[in-house]
Amino acid sequence: MNRKELLRRLPKIDEVLKEESLVVLAEESSPLLVTEAVREVIGDIRSRILGLSEDGLAEFSVEILEPGRVAEAAARRLAEDEKLNLYPVINATGTILHTNLGRAPLCEDAVENVGRVSRGYSTLEYNVEKGMRGSRHDLVGELIAELTGAEDAMVVNNNAAATMIVLAALGRGKEIIVSRGELVEIGGAFRIPDIMAQSGAFLQEVGTSNKTKISDYENAIMTDEILEDYDFFEMDPRHTERFRTGALMKVHKSNYDIVGFTEEVELEELVELGRKYKLPVIFDMGNGLMLDMSEYGLREPNVPASLATGIDVILFSGDKLLGGPQAGIICGKKKYISKMKKHPLARAMRVDKMTFAALEATLAKYKDPKIALRDIPILNMIAASEDDMKERAERLAEEIRKVNSKLALELVRVEDQIGGGSAPMVRLPGWAVSVADGKRSADSIERRLRKAEVPVIARISDDRLLLCVRTIAENELATVAAAFR
Ligand SMILES: *Cc1c(COP(=O)(O)O)cnc(C)c1O
């Protein structure tokens, strides 16, 4: 057929819009968007015809021009346009706090509370009893105090923001003493020395990469009292130039470990030193672990135990091992927390009602550690037993077999990780389903799984495609299987 004839046969927009499927779609969504989709599809076909070679013209299938086919293409395009950029995927990597996949999944009650609170108006800054303005800082302050032993708490956007405001409030124009073994970089642009510079505090590094002693901290401290003790004539001129110490700071080595000939100062010793010189002691703890999880192989500091040392200020993320929404939680002594609440940066870093809704519901679980372990997804994943995971892997293999009997499936042992820059040395023994397809490489299966309706993000190890079940929820098994159809 020649080009002119094909162009003549292109259906009219109105003609396509009469197709039953589109009439329904237009009623359900929007006549404007349906018409637009049809116009675009017809436009595309026209351009294609105009670009065809002689051979192409001879091979062109005229069915594409039927109104029914154009309507189908328009419906597909509409569905694609409606898809948002942020949508769920299934994490089959076995890495629990996968930063790229949104760190901690929320517990059911947190999700429900976000819906309840954000659908309408709420008590975000309103005290219902008194009928007057309230403060969003009070929403979770008492609960955090009850759970951790802190005097007061404050919530900001994330732990990077928490670090920034703590340093700005307690250290601006002064020195903050940090061990050289703890000058952490946490992915992206978060580096302790850089945040320090932004906050207006001065970093005073002490010790070495592998060893820092309490005397290293003490030798670096400079206070007005120390300066007074110097006899004018023997005064070391360096000391008159020096800034005063604002605080002592410990940073948790969240995403690395130093092994071999090492020494670091424990929180208790640092707290004692702070007392002696009346200096606040800050702990950037990072992960926000609220319970002792050492029986599950996780030997990390936790919030209540750290506060029990008498530390003045501790800060951590809401979406790491706490298992809640993205947030930075600062807690400790009231006199320091009040300073931060009044700091001009507090407004720039304040969080939304959705965060408070999710955070309060998550924190409430910790009133009973058993409930936290049962209901908070990431704690659940950490505590999952090998037997449970083997069973889940068996069920997943069964589901996959139901939809595709040609694949070679095998249950294999794997080592899962905490992820999210937390507990890098911990390996959790788990189970996975290894999937092989005679014709295809692991890479090619992995790509296809990412294109499923609900994308499945798998792990590839030694050229094998692995579906690690630790991070796949029970109610996601059938969805994972459906991706193999
Ligand atoms: C993760 C982490 C941060 C950054 O926290 P975000 O919530 O990701 O901003 C800061 N310090 C430490 C020690 C951390 O582990």
Side-chain angles (χ1 to χ4, degrees):
M1 204 173 287
N2 70 31
R3 205 180 307 269
K4 250 194 198 140
E5 178 62 13
L6 285 177
L7 289 172
R8 207 180 51 73
R9 287 219 203 171
L10 267 174
K12 299 273 171 297
I13 293 177
D14 287 344
E15 198 181 339
V16 179
L17 286 174
K18 285 196 195 104
E19 288 291 319
E20 182 62 23
S21 62
L22 291 193
V23 172
V24 175
L25 254 185
E27 265 170 30
E28 280 172 359
S29 67
S30 137
L32 177 76
L33 296 180
V34 173
T35 309
E36 196 50 43
V38 171
R39 190 195 313 280
E40 281 171 17
V41 170
I42 294 176
D44 283 356
I45 302 175
R46 175 179 291 114
S47 317
R48 230 178 98 195
I49 294 172
L50 290 172
L52 284 174
S53 63
E54 288 304 318
D55 287 348
L57 279 171
E59 282 164 23
F60 189 85
S61 116
V62 281
E63 286 103 70
I64 292 176
L65 304 176
E66 284 166 17
R69 292 284 293 270
V70 174
E72 272 172 36
R76 271 198 304 275
R77 178 177 293 241
L78 205 61
E80 233 157 70
D81 284 351
E82 277 175 0
K83 200 164 161 187
L84 302 174
N85 290 324
L86 182 60
Y87 54 89
V89 301
I90 287 171
N91 176 7
T93 66
T95 297
I96 298 174
L97 294 171
H98 202 299
T99 301
N100 303 141
L101 306 182
R103 282 196 187 159
L106 298 177
C107 63
E108 271 311 315
D109 288 311
V111 174
E112 207 176 284
N113 204 30
V114 171
R116 232 158 48 94
V117 164
S118 51
R119 201 166 283 121
Y121 300 99
S122 65
T123 55
L124 183 63
E125 286 191 353
Y126 187 76
N127 184 325
V128 174
E129 260 170 52
K130 294 184 185 151
M132 56 191 271
R133 193 197 159 125
S135 163
R136 69 179 76 202
H137 291 313
D138 296 338
L139 293 170
V140 292
E142 256 174 53
L143 181 54
I144 293 177
E146 178 194 328
L147 296 172
T148 65
E151 286 176 13
D152 199 4
M154 173 184 180
V155 183
V156 293
N157 271 320
N158 52 25
N159 195 28
T163 312
M164 179 79 180
I165 194 168
V166 168
L167 294 176
L170 303 184
R172 192 178 170 78
K174 296 184 189 157
E175 287 183 348
I176 306 272
I177 305 176
V178 186
S179 159
R180 289 199 170 89
E182 299 175 0
L183 297 174
V184 176
E185 168 174 324
I186 309 280
F190 183 92
R191 297 174 131 194
I192 289 289
D194 297 344
I195 295 271
M196 191 82 73
Q198 289 298 321
S199 74
F202 299 98
L203 173 62
Q204 173 67 51
E205 306 172 17
V206 295
T208 60
S209 302
N210 55 326
K211 281 203 172 206
T212 302
K213 304 175 172 65
I214 191 73
S215 55
D216 294 325
Y217 288 90
E218 185 157 17
N219 291 337
I221 292 176
M222 177 50 58
T223 62
D224 290 334
E225 287 78 25
I226 294 175
L227 208 56
E228 271 168 24
D229 282 348
Y230 276 95
D231 187 337
F232 180 79
F233 294 104
E234 62 174 65
M235 180 142 45
D236 178 340
R238 278 173 311 161
H239 287 298
T240 58
E241 309 259 311
R242 261 178 86 160
F243 294 102
R244 305 296 186 274
T245 304
L248 309 176
M249 182 177 186
K250 189 165 179 63
V251 185
H252 181 45
K253 299 193 294 294
S254 291
N255 54 6
Y256 66 105
D257 202 7
I258 298 177
V259 294
F261 189 56
T262 66
E263 183 173 341
E264 72 175 289
V265 171
E266 296 299 328
L267 226 42
E268 286 85 353
E269 294 175 85
L270 215 53
V271 168
E272 205 176 298
L273 188 65
R275 290 248 166 82
K276 183 170 163 193
Y277 291 92
K278 298 192 187 64
L279 289 169
V281 182
I282 304 164
F283 182 32
D284 176 9
M285 183 227 192
N287 67 41
L289 183 64
M290 296 284 280
L291 306 172
D292 181 353
M293 299 276 282
S294 51
E295 74 174 283
Y296 306 105
L298 197 60
R299 269 167 284 277
E300 289 278 311
N302 65 62
V303 178
S306 303
L307 277 160
T309 64
I311 190 101
D312 297 288
V313 177
I314 178 170
L315 41 144
F316 49 90
S317 299
D319 55 351
K320 288 185 180 171
L321 293 173
L322 186 125
Q326 181 189 303
I329 298 164
I330 309 168
C331 51
K333 302 271 160 68
K334 205 171 199 101
K335 73 168 174 182
Y336 299 118
I337 305 293
S338 308
K339 250 187 160 166
M340 291 163 218
K341 285 181 181 171
K342 285 188 213 115
H343 196 279
L345 277 176
R347 172 61 189 250
M349 293 172 173
R350 77 178 190 184
V351 303
D352 180 51
K353 55 183 173 288
M354 291 194 280
T355 303
F356 277 116
L359 185 62
E360 188 178 8
T362 306
L363 286 169
K365 299 285 177 190
Y366 284 99
K367 289 180 187 171
D368 180 349
K370 280 209 183 68
I371 301 290
L373 280 172
R374 187 194 66 191
D375 292 351
I376 296 180
I378 62 134
L379 298 185
N380 222 290
M381 291 177 203
I382 294 170
S385 76
E386 272 193 77
D387 287 347
D388 284 351
M389 279 182 298
K390 189 172 181 202
E391 244 176 64
R392 196 182 297 171
E394 274 161 10
R395 277 200 304 282
L396 176 59
E398 232 166 75
E399 294 279 342
I400 296 174
R401 240 174 250 124
K402 274 193 232 157
V403 301
N404 189 333
S405 56
K406 295 200 200 82
L407 300 166
L409 307 177
E410 197 189 330
L411 298 199
V412 294
R413 283 174 185 280
V414 289
E415 288 191 325
D416 298 321
Q417 291 184 42
I418 301 289
S422 298
M425 310 306 274
V426 172
R427 292 287 176 278
L428 302 165
W431 283 89
V433 178
S434 148
V435 185
D437 174 344
K439 303 178 292 276
R440 288 198 182 88
S441 68
D443 284 325
S444 140
I445 306 174
E446 189 269 344
R447 264 198 307 277
R448 289 172 76 103
L449 287 178
R450 273 191 282 120
K451 290 193 180 131
E453 190 174 332
V454 180
V456 176
I457 314 301
R459 190 200 296 181
I460 293 183
S461 167
D462 296 332
D463 285 330
R464 271 203 309 194
L465 183 113
L466 300 176
L467 303 167
C468 305
V469 294
R470 187 185 297 272
T471 48
I472 305 175
E474 205 58 49
N475 61 9
E476 291 174 336
L477 296 179
T479 315
V480 175
F484 287 95
R485 198 161 270 146

